[in-house]
Amino acid sequence: MNITQVLEKKIDESKQGERLSIVDNPKGSKKMYIESYGCQMNFSDSEIVASILTKEGFSTTQDINEADLVFVNTCSIREKAELTVRKRLEFYNSIKKDKNPGMIVGVLGCMAERLKEKFLEEEKLVDLVIGPDAYRDLPNLLKQVDDGRKAVNVFLSKEETYADISPVRLGGNGVTAFVSITRGCDNMCTFCVVPFTRGRERSRNPESIVNECKQLIKDGYKEVTLLGQNVDSYLWYGGGAKKDFKKATKDAQENSVSFANLLEMVAEVGSKLRIRFSTSNPQDMTLDVIQVMKKYNNICNYIHLPVQSGSDRILSKMNRGYTRGKYITLIDNIKNTIPDCSISMDMITGFCSETEQDHQETLSLMDYVKYEYGYMFKYSERPNTTAERKFEDDIPNDVKQRRLAEIIEKQQVHSLLHMKEKIGETFEVLVEGTSKKSEEKLYGRTTHNSAVVFPKENYKKGDYVMVEIEECTSATLLGKAI
Ligand code: 5AD
Ligand code: SF4
């Protein structure tokens, strides 16, 4: 498999969804089956939903045939993501008809928020539609369904962060966990549906974040990923949407906590707790974040920094809030402060009016940065976004496809370059489990987020192991413990 295929597979896997379950499954309790699609935030939200329903007497199951309740946590980011969910709904329908007539079907997340009541008209089998800020209302909605009514709650909140709800860790490895720190997004990139499906940006109380991390250490976890649509925009001043910060009292403003402050608080929780964060945003990332990363060894040297395009004209049309020049300055600052920081990106190709010249600028930016990894997409028009309302989706599909192939090919060269550079070096690897290909080998990741496989010997999941890299495939470093 070459890197192009690997990258496509990675993207595909993120779209395929995952069945999530916990082992605890007491006899006689009602059973829920949750499937999640899309971003890490959705997976994290499913853990909140599981926590709320556990209190209602549900346990989880991986067998849809025995489920009383089937939930699908959905993604709207591209049309293809929505089509995947529609296909799953067809599958649930067949299960309901043939094997499990009593099961309740609920749609959660971004598609629920986007389509609201329309979902009930379009998909007759759906009993419950619930947006990302309404999960606390699940017990009430389930009662409505029990009473024979269809139930909908798509209320978007300015305050909800589920700060007090301890997520039930689903289907994880017991070593790495997601911790949500912000919800929503106020950036309004013209191509993006997220501000409409996830609402206004708001930050979670830092104390609850630190406490969750402390509890994770007690439970044996070794790594957390702080999650938000735009983590750099984190700002705690006592609650509320970020846009209302100016209305807060002077005292609240002076005692506010920024993302750099929060990162430092979490880094102090324990030196053996590794910290990652995602997603960063070039227009909001500040130098003090990079300084905190440099200061703490337990903050991983890896930044996912979506760029979307290398052309100033397209960046402006996308309302990204930075220019190519500003982005390059940020990259230079990161590299000057943390020379071995690994950087990945998201890129959209074929956005409205994109010319060959714009495309060449994207390719030349990639040559400048030489990203470690990349997640690359063809532009997909989303209903009600500014791009849909104001611009024409005028790049033919074959042109989008060809440009996508060109950026993927370039990324393949850069990724391989970075892999090969690492041969002969030694890295600390946090072991996350056994290699998928061999029971005799362990799998883990370096601070740079590179996957490493090495012979097991006496090491085990959760260990930090120094591994010398001997060779690489296109996506994995291979080595031995030293
Ligand atoms: N079409 C294609 N890709 C998109 N993304 C967001 N919206 C769209 C869209 N309408 C991509 C961006 C973002 C990633 C999560 O998904 O690259 O960073
Ligand atoms: Fe969407 Fe832009 Fe917000 Fe990212 S920063 S979630 S791309 S609106």
Side-chain angles (χ1 to χ4, degrees):
M1 193 186 279
N2 64 29
I3 287 192
T4 315
Q5 286 164 324
V6 170
L7 289 167
E8 282 170 351
K9 190 161 173 282
K10 249 184 163 172
I11 293 163
D12 269 4
E13 275 167 0
S14 70
K15 281 184 198 150
Q16 263 167 20
E18 211 168 272
R19 266 161 285 141
L20 299 170
S21 75
I22 43 176
V23 263
D24 171 41
N25 208 349
K27 269 194 181 143
S29 67
K30 292 174 285 179
K31 294 190 175 74
M32 60 175 150
Y33 169 99
I34 310 184
E35 218 168 63
S36 294
Y37 290 82
C39 63
Q40 294 165 330
M41 203 73 185
N42 264 7
F43 285 75
S44 169
D45 277 3
S46 291
E47 298 185 334
I48 300 279
V49 168
S51 174
I52 291 168
L53 290 184
T54 303
K55 291 201 180 83
E56 294 296 301
F58 281 88
S59 60
T60 57
T61 174
Q62 274 200 307
D63 181 2
I64 190 168
N65 296 307
E66 64 162 22
D68 299 286
L69 188 60
V70 172
F71 275 166
V72 56
N73 201 343
T74 61
C75 172
S76 288
I77 201 93
R78 283 168 290 275
E79 192 184 10
K80 219 171 156 191
E82 292 203 351
L83 290 175
T84 309
V85 168
R86 298 274 189 190
K87 282 221 180 83
R88 288 309 284 171
L89 288 170
E90 276 173 31
F91 169 67
Y92 303 156
N93 213 355
S94 70
I95 298 283
K96 191 164 174 159
K97 261 198 207 134
D98 301 339
K99 298 179 185 157
N100 189 358
M103 84 186 195
I104 293 170
V105 176
V107 178
L108 279 53
C110 290
M111 261 178 103
E113 192 62 51
R114 196 176 82 68
L115 291 159
K116 305 184 169 60
E117 289 82 359
K118 252 175 84 185
F119 227 129
L120 297 176
E121 293 155 27
E122 288 175 15
E123 302 279 354
K124 298 286 179 226
L125 106 142
V126 173
D127 303 290
L128 198 148
V129 176
I130 182 157
D133 285 347
Y135 298 141
R136 279 182 206 271
D137 197 27
L138 265 169
N140 287 329
L141 295 170
L142 284 174
K143 274 194 200 101
Q144 283 185 34
V145 175
D146 273 348
D147 292 345
R149 288 177 285 156
K150 300 255 175 181
V152 181
N153 187 342
V154 286
F155 174 75
L156 280 177
S157 159
K158 277 191 194 172
E159 265 119 33
E160 181 62 272
T161 58
Y162 302 111
D164 56 317
I165 296 180
S166 304
V168 169
R169 306 288 164 189
L170 294 165
N173 52 21
V175 177
T176 61
F178 295 131
V179 174
S180 149
I181 65 163
T182 68
R183 297 183 71 81
C185 185
D186 285 347
N187 277 8
M188 299 300 279
C189 300
T190 55
F191 55 80
C192 186
V193 77
V194 167
F196 305 97
T197 59
R198 288 192 159 266
R200 295 282 289 276
E201 189 173 282
R202 70 221 92 122
S203 299
R204 177 178 170 192
N205 182 338
E207 211 180 299
S208 73
I209 296 169
V210 166
N211 286 342
E212 190 174 328
C213 293
K214 284 182 179 161
Q215 186 58 46
L216 283 165
I217 293 184
K218 278 191 197 144
D219 295 342
Y221 284 83
K222 300 285 169 62
E223 182 182 296
V224 294
T225 302
L226 305 178
L227 279 188
Q229 240 72 46
N230 173 4
V231 287
D232 300 294
S233 199
Y234 178 89
L235 182 64
W236 174 257
Y237 60 96
K242 187 180 175 196
K243 276 201 169 151
D244 295 333
F245 179 64
K246 286 192 192 112
K247 291 185 216 154
T249 62
K250 214 166 177 204
D251 195 37
Q253 290 189 11
E254 279 170 11
N255 291 309
S256 61
V257 177
S258 68
F259 180 55
N261 303 144
L262 177 76
L263 206 49
E264 194 147 15
M265 287 162 78
V266 176
E268 295 279 354
V269 166
S271 62
K272 283 289 164 197
L273 183 71
R274 254 192 191 184
I275 297 143
R276 299 185 188 277
F277 51 87
S278 186
T279 299
S280 300
N281 192 308
Q283 68 171 295
D284 296 301
M285 188 165 206
T286 50
L287 292 184
D288 51 357
V289 169
I290 306 164
Q291 293 296 347
V292 173
M293 288 176 73
K294 184 183 158 87
K295 183 172 163 193
Y296 289 92
N297 271 336
N298 57 334
I299 304 179
C300 290
N301 285 350
Y302 170 58
I303 304 176
H304 181 56
L305 198 60
V307 59
Q308 317 298 4
S309 170
S311 150
D312 272 339
R313 198 181 64 82
I314 295 293
L315 287 172
S316 162
K317 209 170 167 115
M318 287 175 162
N319 191 32
R320 288 291 291 177
Y322 54 87
T323 58
R324 177 191 172 97
K326 276 197 177 149
Y327 185 85
I328 286 178
T329 304
L330 178 61
I331 296 284
D332 290 348
N333 279 327
I334 295 169
K335 292 283 184 189
N336 289 336
T337 315
I338 310 170
D340 77 329
C341 191
S342 136
I343 300 173
S344 63
M345 54 77 171
D346 288 345
M347 195 76 85
I348 297 178
T349 192
F351 186 61
C352 313
S353 85
E354 186 188 71
T355 61
E356 285 305 321
Q357 175 61 31
D358 295 320
H359 173 57
Q360 287 305 321
E361 284 174 26
T362 291
L363 291 169
S364 76
L365 181 74
M366 289 174 72
D367 277 330
Y368 182 83
V369 182
K370 294 198 174 55
Y371 295 97
E372 207 103 5
Y373 318 98
Y375 301 89
M376 295 152 280
F377 312 99
K378 276 190 287 183
Y379 171 60
S380 163
E381 186 176 81
R382 307 310 297 133
N384 295 326
T385 55
T386 306
E388 190 259 347
R389 286 185 283 110
K390 297 207 174 141
F391 313 140
E392 197 188 336
D393 180 13
D394 55 355
I395 308 303
N397 190 49
D398 58 336
V399 176
K400 283 182 183 171
Q401 191 61 50
R402 195 247 311 146
R403 290 180 188 165
L404 179 66
E406 285 175 16
I407 61 172
I408 288 178
E409 195 183 325
K410 189 168 282 299
Q411 187 51 49
Q412 173 180 344
V413 173
H414 293 159
S415 294
L416 195 58
L417 201 82
H418 287 295
M419 294 300 258
K420 286 193 170 156
E421 263 170 18
K422 295 190 170 78
I423 295 175
E425 289 200 43
T426 300
F427 297 100
E428 186 182 58
V429 174
L430 172 60
V431 179
E432 292 180 24
T434 318
S435 154
K436 274 184 191 152
K437 288 193 183 147
S438 163
E439 279 291 315
E440 299 308 308
K441 290 183 176 166
L442 293 173
Y443 161 86
R445 277 179 298 155
T446 67
T447 180
H448 309 108
N449 207 32
S450 307
V452 180
V453 169
F454 64 97
K456 193 180 255 170
E457 299 177 50
N458 290 323
Y459 300 104
K460 59 182 186 315
K461 196 159 89 167
D463 285 348
Y464 285 102
V465 184
M466 296 308 291
V467 178
E468 187 182 337
I469 307 305
E470 295 170 320
E471 46 184 321
C472 70
T473 68
S474 53
T476 313
L477 299 170
L478 308 168
K480 64 169 193 301
I482 56 164

